[in-house]
Amino acid sequence: MTYLAPRQGLFAIILLVSFCLQTLLLVISTDQQLSNSRALKGEQMVAQLIDEARLSLENKDRVSLSVIANRYTSEQDVTRILIKDNNDDILVPVGNAPMQQGDTIRQIATNGDAVIGSVALTLKDVSKGEIIAMQWPFVIGTMLLHLLLWLIYGYLARPTKEQINALSRDIQELYRDQYRPVDQRGYDRELERQSTGQSAPHLADSQVATDNTVNATDDEVTNARKFNVHNEVNEYLRTQQNQETGNDTDNLVSAGEGSEIADTDGVASQAASHTSKLSATRSVDSVKVQIVFHDEFNMLERLAPAQRLPYLALCTQLLNQAVTELLRQPLLLGVSAMNEAHFEDNGASVVLKADNSHAKVALAGVMLAKLYLMLNKIIHDKHIELSRFALPAKAGVSDDAQSEPMTHLLQSIGKKEQLLILLPNAGLKQISNHVQVHNIMRPTTVYERECAIFDGANDSLIQRLADVRNAVLMIEDEDELHI
């Protein structure tokens, strides 16, 4: 198959504009040359006419003046001759084209010091069409030259087979980069297989066979992903409906929590696993705040240890001080940290627990994640200003049951400086009066549908976070940390 040269139509338009400009310049230059030559010729004709008609002009001999003037009007460039006496009265008007426009040359006729009259000679203008007609070899030659250039460009600029093959490989790589990460969001299917592998071996075998088929072609990957996503959504809706209508779901939930009740069907065990992780009525006694670096090009792995370790230590100290300062807020009374954070290459996590039933542990987790994103933004901008290494961050807040899905969500759909929230209704109720969230557009898994994205907070919460941020940064200055 023969391919056209890239942007061949645009090149044709450029050549057409070039041809028109060259033709216009040709017409302008030719008209200027003709005007100068005709003006010089007209002045010579007027001077010669006055010399020949001086005696007749003194005697006001109209017949002689008409004979002399008619001889000059036979010239092709002369359209009219007007002879006047010394009183500016017209003696002889000669010319049969008075309506034609042209340049008029006027000169006074004298005899010694006495003025005996005047002569006005009008030369006709040369039209642009006449100029093009005179210069037709140049115009045709220029047009053929531009056409030849267009044909040569179309032949030489056509993509070669090597270029076409390289472009095809680039398109395939772009397709894989765009769609394979989406397929990797099937982490919930892997969790489902792990939870049901012992109770339903036949289901696990079928999923393993499906995974082997998925690895065959990209098209089959997409179809398998869509099929599994629909199965998960339907299964989740079925378990929610059973929970509302009967006592059968209670038995499934207790089986999913580790009771010794055996269900030989296998489907009940699968429903119990989904219910335990996605149940909207689950209580929130502790939350896990996960903070990871937004490292698109794996720069942290390539960084020398002499630079990476101090940077991770700085991030660790910032996070621990943020936890300490934040939990001093009266709003978060009764919330405590269960671990001390430590940043690794894959990020850090903090587990917060509620010491009593009134503690707002979910709100504390969201505030801590947002606080660190604010601190990391300042640290990142300062490092970039000083031409030093730094990475943006993203954070996720979830309860213990959904901490692993949140890790996968941060890897698959998390964006720079973004805060993801995956909490049951009890946790969402705690933050509803302080935080605004929005859902993920076009979710492809159950966890993506349940996940929310931090979209803002009220003025009082933002002011609290700003005060805590300033307090942490003041501690940093006192400790003389090198930012």
Side-chain angles (χ1 to χ4, degrees):
M1 181 177 180
T2 303
Y3 292 89
L4 296 176
R7 299 185 178 182
Q8 192 169 359
L10 179 60
F11 186 73
I13 295 175
I14 294 175
L15 290 179
L16 180 60
V17 173
S18 175
F19 170 74
C20 294
L21 289 176
Q22 288 188 12
T23 304
L24 179 62
L25 293 175
L26 172 67
V27 171
I28 293 175
S29 62
T30 304
D31 181 69
Q32 186 176 5
Q33 292 177 359
L34 291 177
S35 298
N36 294 334
S37 62
R38 285 187 293 107
L40 182 59
K41 182 180 178 181
E43 291 176 358
Q44 294 176 355
M45 292 175 63
V46 170
Q48 185 177 355
L49 176 59
I50 292 175
D51 291 337
E52 293 180 0
R54 182 174 284 108
L55 183 59
S56 300
L57 190 59
E58 288 179 351
N59 298 327
K60 298 183 181 180
D61 187 359
R62 297 175 183 270
V63 176
S64 300
L65 292 174
S66 298
V67 172
I68 297 172
N70 285 329
R71 190 168 64 249
Y72 284 92
T73 55
S74 62
E75 294 288 337
Q76 184 178 2
D77 296 332
V78 179
T79 61
R80 191 178 187 187
I81 296 177
L82 192 64
I83 301 176
K84 298 181 180 180
D85 59 8
N86 54 355
N87 295 325
D88 205 26
D89 294 330
I90 298 176
L91 297 177
V92 176
V94 180
N96 54 4
M99 298 302 295
Q100 288 188 1
Q101 299 295 327
D103 297 330
T104 301
I105 301 174
R106 291 182 175 85
Q107 189 170 343
I108 298 174
T110 60
N111 188 6
D113 296 332
V115 176
I116 59 176
S118 62
V119 176
L121 185 143
T122 303
L123 299 174
K124 69 176 182 179
D125 285 334
V126 179
S127 66
K128 304 300 185 292
E130 291 178 353
I131 295 177
I132 294 176
M134 289 188 298
Q135 300 290 341
W136 68 266
F138 179 85
V139 176
I140 298 298
T142 304
M143 182 177 63
L144 294 177
L145 177 61
H146 283 78
L147 180 61
L148 180 62
L149 290 175
W150 182 74
L151 294 176
I152 293 175
Y153 171 81
Y155 178 78
L156 295 179
R158 287 182 302 176
T160 61
K161 292 183 178 180
E162 291 78 9
Q163 292 174 336
I164 295 173
N165 294 333
L167 181 62
S168 300
R169 288 193 297 269
D170 292 341
I171 293 175
Q172 291 176 0
E173 291 176 359
L174 179 62
Y175 178 83
R176 286 195 294 267
D177 292 342
Q178 288 181 347
Y179 290 94
R180 283 198 173 182
V182 176
D183 184 68
Q184 292 175 358
R185 298 176 189 173
Y187 58 87
D188 48 339
R189 297 198 300 274
E190 297 176 1
L191 297 177
E192 180 182 345
R193 287 201 302 270
Q194 294 175 1
S195 62
T196 59
Q198 296 179 355
S199 61
H202 61 281
L203 180 60
D205 294 338
S206 64
Q207 290 176 344
V208 171
T210 303
D211 291 339
N212 294 332
T213 305
V214 164
N215 293 329
T217 60
D218 290 338
D219 293 338
E220 293 178 359
V221 165
T222 304
N223 294 333
R225 177 176 62 82
K226 292 181 179 179
F227 178 76
N228 289 336
V229 168
H230 289 303
N231 286 343
E232 293 175 14
V233 174
N234 293 333
E235 186 64 32
Y236 171 68
L237 294 177
R238 191 181 301 113
T239 55
Q240 292 294 321
Q241 183 177 4
N242 292 337
Q243 184 180 8
E244 295 176 356
T245 55
N247 296 325
D248 294 338
T249 305
D250 295 336
N251 296 330
L252 295 178
V253 172
S254 62
E257 293 177 351
S259 66
E260 296 180 355
I261 300 176
D263 192 346
T264 58
D265 192 8
V267 178
S269 176
Q270 181 180 0
S273 175
H274 276 282
T275 304
S276 63
K277 292 183 179 181
L278 295 174
S279 176
T281 60
R282 186 174 60 254
S283 61
V284 180
D285 297 327
S286 63
V287 296
K288 185 175 183 180
V289 180
Q290 303 182 48
I291 300 171
V292 297
F293 295 114
H294 186 75
D295 192 2
E296 297 178 308
F297 306 104
N298 296 325
M299 298 174 60
L300 193 60
E301 296 179 358
R302 302 182 178 93
L303 196 64
Q307 295 178 334
R308 182 174 71 254
L309 296 179
Y311 177 71
L312 294 178
L314 171 63
C315 295
T316 300
Q317 188 169 357
L318 273 176
L319 180 56
N320 289 326
Q321 290 177 355
V323 173
T324 302
E325 292 295 327
L326 182 66
L327 296 184
R328 294 177 181 174
Q329 296 292 313
L331 180 64
L332 304 180
L333 186 64
V335 179
S336 60
M338 299 180 62
N339 68 317
E340 184 175 355
H342 183 72
F343 265 93
E344 301 291 345
D345 292 349
N346 57 352
S349 62
V350 178
V351 178
L352 303 177
K353 69 173 183 177
D355 298 333
N356 53 64
S357 59
H358 301 289
K360 299 180 179 180
V361 66
L363 180 61
V366 174
M367 291 179 65
L368 176 60
K370 184 59 180 176
L371 173 61
Y372 186 79
L373 291 179
M374 295 167 63
L375 289 169
N376 189 79
K377 176 67 174 175
I378 297 176
I379 298 300
H380 177 265
D381 293 344
K382 187 63 176 179
H383 276 70
I384 297 302
E385 181 181 350
L386 298 176
S387 299
R388 301 182 64 180
F389 175 81
L391 288 173
K394 51 189 175 182
V397 180
S398 65
D399 56 350
D400 290 338
Q402 301 182 112
S403 60
E404 187 173 353
M406 173 54 72
T407 302
H408 291 283
L409 285 173
L410 287 172
Q411 294 175 355
S412 60
I413 66 172
K415 298 180 181 179
K416 181 175 63 175
E417 305 296 339
Q418 195 175 67
L419 172 55
L420 303 182
I421 302 172
L422 188 60
L423 296 171
N425 286 345
L428 296 176
K429 185 177 180 180
Q430 287 186 18
I431 67 175
S432 61
N433 295 329
H434 305 275
V435 174
Q436 293 84 39
V437 298
H438 68 271
N439 295 328
I440 298 175
M441 299 296 294
R442 295 183 293 276
T444 58
T445 65
V446 177
Y447 293 109
E448 290 182 11
R449 189 186 65 183
E450 296 295 323
C451 182
I453 301 176
F454 182 89
D455 197 24
N458 56 27
D459 295 339
S460 62
L461 186 65
I462 293 297
Q463 186 60 43
R464 290 175 185 270
L465 292 176
D467 294 340
V468 178
R469 177 199 62 191
N470 296 335
V472 173
L473 293 177
M474 289 178 62
I475 295 176
E476 293 295 316
D477 293 338
E478 294 175 359
D479 294 342
E480 294 183 356
L481 290 178
H482 298 287
I483 299 178

